[in-house]
Amino acid sequence: MFTHTDLARLQAQSLKMQGFIRQQTFSPENEKKLRRFSSWEVAELILGLNPSTFRGRLAADPSLPQGHVEEDGRQRWYSLDEINELRRRLRHKNKPLLPPRPQGKRAIRAAVANFKGGAGKSTVALHFAHAAALDGYRVLCVDFDPQATLSHSMGLSDVAEEYTVWGIMARDLIRETARMNAAGRGAESGTALPERKLPASVTGMGLDDLRVTDFIKPTSWPTIDLVPSCANAAFVEFASAQYRHLNPEWSFFAAVDRYLDQLPEDTYDIVIFDCPPAIGYQSMNAVFAADVLYIPSGPGYWEYDSTTSFIGQLAEALEDLGRFRGAVPPGTEPDKHFADIRFLLTRFEPNNDLHRAMQQAFHKVFGPQVAEHPIEMTRAVEQSGRFLSSVYEIDYRNMTRETWRRARASFDRAYDEFRATLVAAWDQLED
């Protein structure tokens, strides 16, 4: 017979192994560090310049970052901060190298979501975040998944649950309840509205005193921040059900949306949500706050079946939010609109007949909503998952350059399409 005590013991054993794995995966200080990028990567793959042209620009202007030369080679290696300085100061064909970003609009938000575990949600979110950072964007990632794969891949493992999405939702409940009570007491009609009371177990956690920035943690990438998750945040689904009972008028699905609205518009450019493999309180917050919905799926029949179920149940869940009409606070609209929805095939093998057949099925059913460029399965992609890193973080010297470039090219094509989708969606946002 096994009880919760046995489960706790097994977890303690596993946590010890986690520490060992992190020591093997990250730096000796148990801290993930971002590698430097070679001059040919910076020129050809990041800035889109001819390497000889890049070298000429550096020689002509010694004030530009010159990178670091290792003792055993002639190659120059650049940090991301140096790359961003080069991006700001260099021009190509009389055009700036900065990525497109509409003026006067908040960050664009994309949710990566699906039912199916193993569909590649965290892999896609991680690679798109890293690609966007190399593209010159400032990125905020929000990890909604208690499995915390994205958080661990970003180098964050020791996270307290109050600094996760659960903390954001509980803080929002406290603040929204206080706002409703204040509005009730000041009603012009003179009708006394019932005061909504929250127990000390909720109000006594000190979440109301937390600032917006307290939930945001830095990562090894200087232009990527993260609202992390952790295993202890798994009880958010149970807690949220209790919170709704405490205040039935609380628009639980808009908590993260309200939280993000508190950030200054120019703090970030792109916000990426990594969702759990289920439709629940956390995932509903993600999709409600998102402008664009990206749905990754493996190229098999069962993945297609799961994706079909996902969009059906998501449609029903979003429709059910209409029940809150008239009960939600003024200005909170329960009808949800996405600027775009895209289906992205992952773990795709071009020479696999079944994969090609399923790709045709996706295109036949979902048409232009299917991303043109799937994520191909390569050895480099498998290795990136094994070492909790993206292809962009892996040093190409750890494998054959061709293997590395093939994997990177697959993600680059997918990211370029992702960026084009976001830029088009940005135009639909209100100023």
Side-chain angles (χ1 to χ4, degrees):
M1 302 292 288
F2 292 88
T3 67
H4 64 87
T5 304
D6 299 293
L7 292 173
R9 174 178 52 80
L10 293 172
Q11 186 209 25
Q13 294 174 195
S14 181
L15 288 174
K16 292 180 180 179
M17 179 57 71
Q18 272 188 351
F20 173 76
I21 293 173
R22 285 199 298 270
Q23 289 176 354
Q24 305 304 310
T25 305
F26 302 154
S27 67
E29 296 82 13
N30 200 27
E31 178 181 348
K32 190 170 188 177
K33 293 183 178 179
L34 180 60
R35 72 177 178 93
R36 286 177 171 264
F37 300 84
S38 66
S39 57
W40 78 265
E41 287 180 271
V42 174
E44 183 178 336
L45 302 179
I46 298 177
L47 299 181
L49 301 174
N50 183 286
S52 61
T53 300
F54 180 61
R55 290 192 296 269
R57 298 283 185 87
L58 295 178
D61 188 353
S63 70
L64 291 171
Q66 299 294 312
H68 171 74
V69 179
E70 296 179 348
E71 295 181 1
D72 57 349
R74 298 168 54 188
Q75 184 79 266
R76 293 182 180 274
W77 297 82
Y78 292 82
S79 69
L80 183 55
D81 285 332
E82 292 173 323
I83 294 171
N84 284 329
E85 182 177 349
L86 289 168
R87 189 186 297 278
R88 288 189 296 267
R89 296 178 58 183
L90 291 177
R91 296 177 70 87
H92 182 54
K93 296 180 179 180
N94 203 32
K95 294 182 179 180
L97 298 178
L98 295 172
R101 211 287 194 199
Q103 294 291 329
K105 295 191 176 183
R106 63 163 173 78
I108 191 77
R109 307 169 188 171
V112 183
N114 202 338
F115 261 168
K116 190 77 170 64
K121 293 183 294 294
S122 297
T123 298
V124 169
L126 179 70
H127 280 80
F128 281 176
H130 289 172
L134 289 177
D135 202 17
Y137 287 114
R138 298 160 300 170
V139 183
L140 174 65
C141 293
V142 184
D143 192 350
F144 286 84
D145 191 349
Q147 296 177 87
T149 301
L150 182 64
S151 298
H152 294 161
S153 298
M154 290 284 188
L156 279 75
S157 55
D158 299 322
V159 177
E161 57 265 25
E162 58 264 30
Y163 296 104
T164 67
V165 169
W166 167 76
I168 291 175
M169 294 180 66
R171 174 179 178 268
D172 183 78
L173 168 67
I174 296 170
R175 295 194 166 199
E176 282 294 287
T177 301
R179 184 192 62 77
M180 292 177 187
N181 286 336
R185 289 193 295 271
E188 295 181 2
S189 65
T191 303
L193 298 179
E195 182 173 354
R196 307 153 187 87
K197 295 183 179 180
L198 300 178
S201 60
V202 175
T203 59
M205 293 185 291
L207 295 173
D208 189 41
D209 297 328
L210 294 178
R211 301 165 298 178
V212 174
T213 54
D214 288 336
F215 297 93
I216 299 173
K217 309 301 178 185
T219 71
S220 57
W221 290 66
T223 52
I224 300 179
D225 290 335
L226 173 70
V227 176
S229 186
C230 66
N232 287 348
F235 67 85
V236 67
E237 299 301 316
F238 303 101
S240 298
Q242 178 191 14
Y243 296 162
R244 287 186 62 191
H245 176 72
L246 295 173
N247 184 354
E249 296 174 296
W250 174 52
S251 53
F252 66 93
F253 52 86
V256 173
D257 185 56
R258 282 189 289 267
Y259 166 78
L260 293 174
D261 283 344
Q262 296 174 51
L263 295 172
E265 289 182 349
D266 61 348
T267 305
Y268 300 100
D269 304 309
I270 297 175
V271 183
I272 298 176
F273 304 145
D274 183 24
C275 300
I279 293 180
Y281 291 102
Q282 294 191 79
S283 55
M284 289 306 296
N285 263 268
V287 298
F288 188 84
D291 305 303
V292 174
L293 181 61
Y294 245 70
I295 305 174
S297 174
Y301 171 76
W302 295 116
E303 288 92 344
Y304 173 80
D305 184 65
S306 178
T307 298
T308 302
S309 298
F310 170 73
I311 59 176
Q313 294 193 34
L314 180 59
E316 293 177 2
L318 290 173
E319 183 180 12
D320 286 344
L321 294 185
R323 296 184 325 227
F324 291 88
R325 188 181 299 277
V328 299
T332 301
E333 177 57 55
D335 288 339
K336 175 62 190 173
H337 301 86
F338 296 106
D340 208 338
I341 296 175
R342 292 297 172 101
F343 296 87
L344 175 65
L345 288 177
T346 60
R347 297 184 287 106
F348 184 76
E349 299 175 10
N351 297 325
N352 187 306
D353 291 339
L354 173 61
H355 289 192
R356 291 199 303 269
M358 292 308 302
Q359 183 183 38
Q360 292 176 3
F362 269 87
H363 278 283
K364 185 174 182 179
V365 174
F366 302 117
Q369 266 58 62
V370 179
E372 180 181 354
H373 301 288
I375 303 296
E376 296 183 11
M377 174 56 72
T378 68
R379 176 174 169 267
V381 173
E382 291 179 325
Q383 186 166 325
S384 69
R386 188 181 309 126
F387 290 101
L388 298 177
S389 299
S390 74
V391 168
Y392 301 102
E393 292 178 302
I394 295 176
D395 193 321
Y396 59 84
R397 294 171 294 182
N398 293 336
M399 61 185 70
T400 65
R401 184 178 295 196
E402 181 57 34
T403 298
W404 180 85
R405 291 198 66 160
R406 180 187 168 199
R408 165 151 186 166
S410 177
F411 280 106
D412 282 347
R413 289 190 295 266
Y415 166 73
D416 288 344
E417 196 171 354
F418 174 71
R419 187 180 84 164
T421 301
L422 296 192
V423 171
W426 245 324
D427 291 336
Q428 301 181 43
L429 297 185
E430 296 181 0
D431 293 333

